[in-house]
């Protein structure tokens, strides 16, 4: 297996990275009261030392009283939390890496198992996080305007702290995705609608505000998924035409890179072609894309949450698609959560040393 092509540099605006390996954003809940600790900084530094090209942070929440359901998820606002992030990016840069925060509003959530709840009710397009499950309030237009401004402020702060790019979390059933999905967006005003392009208005306004706050030269990524945790097989866009009608306005609003979340990168997005989500997004928009989903592992990440282990697996199929030009970057989640040296081992061809993934790794910040 020759992985040389994955170790070519990539540049786009503010983003200059030494290879094509991206650490996927992974919530770790090790930031008490929302403040990333020195251990969190060291955890990311170790991945940069292990040759990851671009690190995307765990989801880090914007300045809204109910943007999070977990007291240990990091904030991306407030003096203390931003000082914590300053330590993170300084460490990553010292180790030769690049990084962007994944800015996040969870939207309407189930209550966290810890029992912690935010000071005000969760908020979303229609107060539900899946059909029939009301656990929050329906956002007013003024709530929407405030959330858009908070996304913009977080992006501006990312640039100010020296991050290399920013990623907007628009996937996995959280706030932005709650607007996209007809199952959670029942609005009858101009933020709702029968079609996906109509329900994309909120995302487009978030992207425009982010772009306005960071300027033209700062790389802006959006993470999207067709699936929802409440609907694994969901397709927001059921055809390439629908996908084009969804993604083109997002690109026009200011997106540079589409981060196309799948559980298994090898699964075709539509019939009659083996292209995956990232492959289609690149073909339809001409933008750079990131693929993700069980890279180098035998089982997927929902299995991990159900306590399943995964073994290291071949990168041949990934390389076949990458070398064909389907996508520009490759995000790796659990393999890097468990092993900071994963990228270096792949680069040096030490495949026999790849560890796979064990759920025990979720309970700690693995440093070695
Ligand atoms: C512990 C854990 C936490 C995650 N948290 C996030 C998150 O905060 N934001 C996000 O977009 N995806 C999150 N994901 C999904 C990953 O970014 C990634 O898409 C998924 O794990 C598939 O990649 P993998 O198969 O290489 O692990 C998380 C996954 C795991 C395992």
């Amino acid at each position: 297996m020759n992985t040389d092509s994955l170790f070519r540099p990539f540049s786009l605006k503010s983003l200059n990275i030494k290879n094509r390996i991206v650490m996927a954003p992974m919530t770790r809940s090790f930031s008490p009261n929302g403040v990333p600790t020195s251990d969190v900084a060291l955890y990311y530094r170790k991945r940069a030392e292990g040759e990851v090209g671009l690190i995307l942070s765990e989801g880090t929440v914007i300045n809204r009283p109910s943007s999070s359901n977990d007291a240990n998820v990091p904030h991306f606002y407030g003096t203390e939390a931003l000082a914590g992030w300053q330590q993170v990016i300084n460490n990553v840069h010292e180790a030769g890496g690049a990084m962007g925060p994944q800015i996040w509003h969870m939207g309407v959530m189930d209550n966290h198992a810890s029992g912690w709840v935010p000071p005000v009710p969760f908020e979303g397009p229609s107060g539900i996080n899946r059909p029939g499950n009301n656990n929050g309030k329906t956002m007013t237009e003024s709530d929407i305007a405030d959330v858009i401004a908070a996304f913009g402020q977080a992006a501006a702060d990312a640039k100010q702290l020296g991050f290399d790019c920013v990623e907007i979390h628009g996937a996995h059933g959280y706030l932005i995705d709650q607007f996209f999905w007809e199952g959670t967006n029942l609005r009858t005003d101009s933020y709702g609608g029968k079609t996906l392009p109509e329900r994309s208005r909120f995302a487009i306004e978030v992207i425009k505000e982010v772009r306005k706050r960071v300027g033209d030269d700062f790389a802006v990524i959006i993470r999207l998924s067709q699936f929802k945790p409440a609907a694994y097989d969901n397709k927001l866009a059921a055809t390439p035409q629908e996908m084009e009608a969804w993604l083109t306005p997002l690109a026009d609003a200011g997106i540079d890179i589409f981060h196309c979340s799948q559980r298994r990168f090898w699964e075709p997005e539509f019939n009659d072609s083996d292209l995956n989500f990232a492959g289609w997004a690149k073909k339809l928009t001409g933008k750079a894309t990131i693929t993700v989903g069980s890279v180098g592992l035998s089982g997927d990440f929902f299995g991990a949450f159900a306590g399943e282990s995964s073994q290291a697996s071949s990168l041949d199929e990934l390389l076949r698609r990458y070398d064909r030009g389907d996508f520009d970057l490759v995000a790796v989640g659990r393999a890097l959560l468990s092993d900071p040296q994963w990228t270096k081992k792949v680069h040096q061809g030490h495949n026999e040393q790849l560890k796979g993934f064990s759920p025990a790794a979720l309970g700690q910040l693995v440093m070695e």
Side-chain angles (χ1 to χ4, degrees):
M1 178 171 69
N2 184 335
T3 60
D4 288 355
S5 57
L6 289 175
F7 290 90
R8 291 196 201 117
F10 175 84
S11 290
L12 202 166
K13 297 186 175 177
S14 54
L15 192 58
N16 292 292
I17 57 183
K18 62 185 166 209
N19 61 43
R20 306 307 177 105
I21 304 297
V22 177
M23 180 173 178
M26 284 177 290
T27 291
R28 305 309 320 275
S29 301
F30 281 98
S31 299
N33 298 317
V35 179
T37 63
S38 51
D39 271 357
V40 170
L42 186 61
Y43 162 82
Y44 287 116
R45 183 188 183 108
K46 292 280 182 184
R47 275 71 194 167
E49 288 174 351
E51 290 188 18
V52 171
L54 171 64
I55 296 170
L56 293 173
S57 80
E58 62 203 290
T60 173
V61 294
I62 62 167
N63 191 7
R64 283 290 286 174
S66 65
S67 58
S68 174
N69 78 340
D70 179 348
N72 296 314
V73 156
H75 297 171
F76 209 77
Y77 60 90
T79 314
E80 256 193 290
L82 292 180
W85 283 115
Q86 184 74 72
Q87 292 311 310
V88 172
I89 187 58
N90 290 351
N91 270 274
V92 167
H93 280 163
E94 277 164 26
M99 184 167 187
Q102 186 191 52
I103 54 176
W104 190 21
H105 184 313
M106 298 189 193
V108 179
M109 293 292 291
D110 288 334
N111 291 359
H112 194 263
S114 65
W116 184 87
V117 285
V120 301
F122 295 121
E123 60 184 358
S126 305
I128 57 176
N129 60 345
R130 54 184 174 274
N133 195 59
N134 189 306
N135 198 33
K137 68 168 276 200
T138 294
M139 291 165 77
T140 62
E141 292 215 359
S142 124
D143 294 327
I144 289 176
D146 289 350
V147 169
I148 290 169
F151 269 110
Q153 183 62 48
D157 287 336
K159 181 175 178 182
Q160 216 266 325
L161 293 175
F163 283 93
D164 301 272
C165 62
V166 67
E167 175 168 285
I168 299 167
H169 195 346
H172 302 170
Y174 298 105
L175 182 66
I176 292 176
D177 200 19
Q178 288 173 10
F179 275 87
F180 284 139
W181 189 31
E182 62 192 352
T184 41
N185 183 346
L186 313 178
R187 299 178 76 94
T188 51
D189 66 1
S190 58
Y191 289 96
K194 285 200 170 43
T195 68
L196 181 52
E198 288 170 294
R199 296 189 303 271
S200 298
R201 176 175 171 194
F202 176 68
I204 288 167
E205 292 186 357
V206 168
I207 295 164
K208 284 187 173 161
E209 181 66 14
V210 163
R211 177 55 74 202
K212 192 169 102 194
R213 297 296 305 272
V214 299
D216 286 342
D217 294 334
F218 195 69
V220 176
I221 308 171
I222 190 164
R223 197 168 218 224
L224 301 171
S225 65
Q226 295 257 41
F227 74 83
K228 327 280 143 231
Y232 286 169
D233 298 324
N234 184 70
K235 294 272 186 213
L236 286 174
T239 63
Q241 292 71 25
E242 286 181 15
M243 184 170 276
E244 188 171 14
W246 177 34
L247 300 186
T248 304
L250 305 183
D252 292 346
I255 291 302
D256 298 305
I257 304 178
F258 286 102
H259 188 172
C260 301
S261 175
Q262 290 183 269
R263 296 163 62 191
R264 309 177 192 94
F265 75 86
W266 57 87
E267 289 184 346
E269 199 54 44
F270 304 114
N271 294 335
D272 305 326
S273 159
D274 74 345
L275 279 185
N276 72 4
F277 183 10
W280 276 107
K282 188 171 170 69
K283 182 182 161 106
L284 295 170
T285 65
K287 295 290 178 186
T289 60
I290 309 175
T291 197
V292 67
S294 305
V295 170
L297 289 178
S298 59
D300 75 34
F301 81 109
F302 284 133
F305 293 131
E308 290 169 18
S309 298
S310 287
Q311 278 69 53
S313 71
S314 157
L315 295 180
D316 287 348
E317 174 61 9
L318 179 84
L319 283 157
R320 183 183 76 80
R321 289 166 180 268
Y322 173 76
D323 290 337
R324 193 170 69 173
D326 290 9
F327 36 79
D328 302 270
L329 300 166
V330 174
V332 177
R334 291 160 299 145
L336 276 169
L337 184 154
S338 319
D339 184 359
Q341 299 296 318
W342 185 89
T343 313
K344 196 181 258 180
K345 289 174 183 173
V346 169
H347 194 185
Q348 295 177 349
H350 292 314
N351 297 342
E352 76 292 347
Q353 293 176 14
L354 297 176
K355 287 185 187 167
F357 167 81
S358 140
L362 294 175
Q364 53 181 306
L365 293 173
V366 179
M367 302 293 190
E368 298 300 334

